[in-house]
Amino acid sequence: MKQPPMYRPARPAPAARQRVRPAGYAVLRFRRATFLAHRRATVVATALALLLAAACLAYLCVGETFVQPVEALKVVLGRPSPDELVVGTLREPRMTVGLLVGAAFGVAGALIQTVARNPLASPDIIGISQGASAVTVAAMTFGLTSYTVLPYLSVAGGLAAALLVYVFAWRGGLHATRFVLIGIGCAIALRSVTTLFMTKGDYLVAQQAQIWMTGSLNGRGWPEAEPLALTLLVLLPFVAWAARAQRTVAMDDDTATALGVRLGRVRTGLVLLGVVLASVATGAAGPVDFVALLAPQIARRLTRTAQIPLLSSALLGALVVVTADLLARRLFSPTELPVGVLTAAVGAPYLIWLIIRSRSIRNGGTA
């Protein structure tokens, strides 16, 4: 007797076997690895990278003597050029420090704002930059003025300031508003300590510290760029981890706990990474105010993502610092302004707008 054919379920269509991906994301495949990339964030990051490249080229070309773009590119690529002294010795090292400092401030601001869930939680607002400045100015007062050592001392000051804010702000939990208010109070106190050290030091050292306190790239070169680049290179794997950890921190506490996420450890890791980045940048160029405040929020508004994008924040921070330093060199030539003066001129009105907007949202209005 002939056996009836066995039943076999229909093979699903290829489209049905594909994994469902979130709306607005594209799948990128590299060999056996598969990545999800936010389309708009990818476009924004590409556009920012192009703008940053244009700003760097303008930085190398524009000055007391104009250098042709072709000659500037020759110097960058290591080819012989008659403008080697102007571009390779004077402008390129200073620009490199600006790029690294801006990127570090951008990522630091994004991490701290993510953990605090508050756009006002910036390293230069909540006292981290002021703690790094206090230790650095104290070292300068006692005769230590090497810019290769100051960034590492700044890390100690930034970590101490962050610990101080954390201790005073913790009351059975870390409320975002209390965290920011305590940070502002600590920032004012630490700035007073910095002023005290400046008054106790030598007049010339005090003048040097005063210029450093405004945030300046004047006189910066390869000796300052190398330790900063080395530190950022070491921290790069941790930044990659932070980009993934941001997603869990953005969840509410109950959901994250149900998924087995240890929120306390993740938040501590993100804050420590942000503090180290901000402190190292402060030690290299001084407290360049409002870069860490501006870059993450602008990046989030451009990309329209749920989390603050770290790559776009880094690119925007570098773009802001390089462009501001270029304008600081040329606006009142031959007088050079500290780069922190221009970033503060733009960032202070933005800070006022953020405060007004936050108050409007709390009162039930629209921003």
Side-chain angles (χ1 to χ4, degrees):
M1 183 175 179
K2 189 176 181 180
Q3 297 291 335
M6 297 180 62
Y7 172 75
R8 293 182 181 179
R11 182 176 296 180
R17 296 198 304 266
Q18 293 178 356
R19 293 183 179 180
V20 179
R21 63 175 180 267
Y25 283 80
V27 178
L28 301 179
R29 292 182 174 86
F30 180 74
R31 295 182 179 179
R32 296 184 179 180
T34 304
F35 305 93
L36 278 178
H38 193 276
R39 289 193 181 95
R40 186 180 179 89
T42 304
V43 172
V44 170
T46 303
L48 289 175
L50 294 175
L51 286 175
L52 181 59
C56 291
L57 184 60
Y59 192 99
L60 296 177
C61 294
V62 178
E64 293 185 4
T65 58
F66 181 79
V67 177
Q68 294 295 329
V70 176
E71 297 298 328
L73 291 175
K74 284 183 180 180
V75 176
V76 173
L77 296 175
R79 298 179 180 177
S81 173
D83 298 302
E84 172 67 31
L85 175 62
V86 175
V87 176
T89 304
L90 300 179
R91 297 178 186 173
E92 186 181 5
R94 176 170 172 171
M95 182 195 71
T96 303
V97 175
L99 286 172
L100 298 175
V101 166
F105 273 128
V107 175
L111 295 176
I112 294 175
Q113 289 175 14
T114 297
V115 174
R117 298 180 181 179
N118 193 320
L120 298 178
S122 173
D124 48 356
I125 300 295
I126 62 173
I128 295 173
S129 295
Q130 286 76 13
S133 300
V135 173
T136 305
V137 172
M140 297 172 68
T141 302
F142 290 103
L144 182 59
T145 58
S146 173
Y147 287 106
T148 58
V149 179
L150 291 180
Y152 301 105
L153 295 176
S154 298
V155 173
L159 289 173
L163 179 62
L164 185 67
V165 174
Y166 182 84
V167 168
F168 282 105
W170 179 268
R171 290 182 183 176
L174 196 62
H175 192 269
T177 303
R178 183 169 62 246
F179 179 75
V180 173
L181 292 177
I182 294 295
I184 293 174
C186 290
I188 296 173
L190 290 170
R191 191 176 290 272
S192 301
V193 172
T194 305
T195 305
L196 177 64
F197 278 119
M198 292 174 60
T199 58
K200 296 297 182 180
D202 183 73
Y203 175 77
L204 294 178
V205 175
Q207 288 293 322
Q208 183 181 4
Q210 182 65 41
I211 296 173
W212 182 88
M213 281 291 298
T214 58
S216 176
L217 297 178
N218 188 20
R220 303 300 189 271
W222 295 125
E224 295 78 35
E226 290 174 359
L228 180 58
L230 179 60
T231 303
L232 296 183
L233 185 62
V234 171
L235 295 177
L236 189 58
F238 299 96
V239 174
W241 164 81
R244 295 177 60 88
Q246 274 186 308
R247 302 174 186 175
T248 58
V249 174
M251 302 177 185
D252 60 273
D253 293 357
D254 294 335
T255 303
T257 303
L259 293 174
V261 179
R262 299 182 178 180
L263 278 179
R265 294 185 179 182
V266 174
R267 286 172 176 167
T268 302
L270 293 178
V271 170
L272 284 176
L273 181 58
V275 169
V276 172
L277 287 170
S279 302
V280 170
T282 301
V288 184
D289 291 332
F290 296 109
V291 176
L293 175 71
L294 288 169
Q297 291 303 308
I298 296 176
R300 187 173 187 177
R301 282 167 172 77
L302 289 176
T303 58
R304 299 178 186 176
T305 52
Q307 296 85 32
I308 301 176
L310 296 188
L311 178 58
S312 295
S313 298
L315 292 172
L316 260 172
L319 179 62
V320 168
V321 173
V322 169
T323 305
D325 192 48
L326 174 60
L327 295 176
R329 287 196 296 117
R330 300 309 303 160
L331 279 180
F332 300 96
S333 181
T335 302
E336 288 191 10
L337 295 176
V339 64
V341 173
L342 289 186
T343 57
V346 176
Y350 183 78
L351 175 61
I352 296 173
W353 178 80
L354 272 180
I355 295 174
I356 295 174
R357 180 176 179 271
S358 301
R359 182 180 300 176
S360 175
I361 293 175
R362 286 197 303 270
N363 294 335
T366 58

